[in-house]
Amino acid sequence: MLGLDNNSAVLLAMDFQNDIVDAKGKFGTQAFAGHVEQRHVIETASQAVAAARDKGVAVVHVKVALPDGHPDINMSAPLFAGVKQLGALIEGTWGADFHPAMKPAEGELIITKQSVSAFAGTD
């Protein structure tokens, strides 16, 4: 893959969750899933994940999962204000689950974020 060192390269698969990318999801009903479909995002991303796995490149999955009621959500971030308004990405629900085509393989790292960044303030 592009001449990268497979021992230090990582592919991040971020936010491929039902509420975001599925037409029945909370954001999917807001036309977001239509954009994902038109641009073949799921197909392209799943091909990239498969290629990384085939080459021995680590795949790390990042998702948003928030407690019911979104008590600690940052309402000054417009995207997260929408999350609360729609009741989306609640931990343990279908909407917060990974899209079937983007499910992590056994042993792949999953990072759960509760803000926009997967790096700042994530355990």
Side-chain angles (χ1 to χ4, degrees), residues 29-97:
T29 61
Q30 305 296 311
F32 190 77
H35 296 293
V36 169
E37 185 176 343
Q38 288 171 349
R39 292 172 176 81
H40 308 286
V41 172
I42 298 296
E43 295 86 352
T44 303
S46 63
Q47 289 170 4
V49 167
R53 289 172 178 153
D54 286 347
K55 297 293 185 184
V57 172
V59 178
V60 175
H61 302 267
V62 179
K63 68 176 188 170
V64 181
L66 303 162
D68 194 9
H70 307 87
D72 299 321
I73 202 163
N74 178 1
M75 291 298 287
S76 64
L79 178 62
F80 278 85
V83 167
K84 184 168 184 158
Q85 180 182 10
L86 293 170
L89 301 168
I90 297 172
E91 199 167 28
T93 66
W94 171 86
D97 285 344

Side-chain angles (χ1 to χ4, degrees), residues 84-115:
K84 184 168 184 158
Q85 180 182 10
L86 293 170
L89 301 168
I90 297 172
E91 199 167 28
T93 66
W94 171 86
D97 285 344
F98 290 103
H99 184 279
M102 295 299 294
K103 288 221 179 266
E106 188 169 332
E108 290 178 337
L109 181 62
I110 298 170
I111 296 173
T112 302
K113 63 182 182 170
Q114 295 187 339
S115 66

Side-chain angles (χ1 to χ4, degrees), residues 3-19:
L4 298 174
D5 176 4
N6 295 354
N7 295 317
S8 61
V10 174
L11 175 67
L12 290 178
M14 298 182 68
D15 303 330
F16 288 101
Q17 295 167 262
N18 292 320
D19 267 348

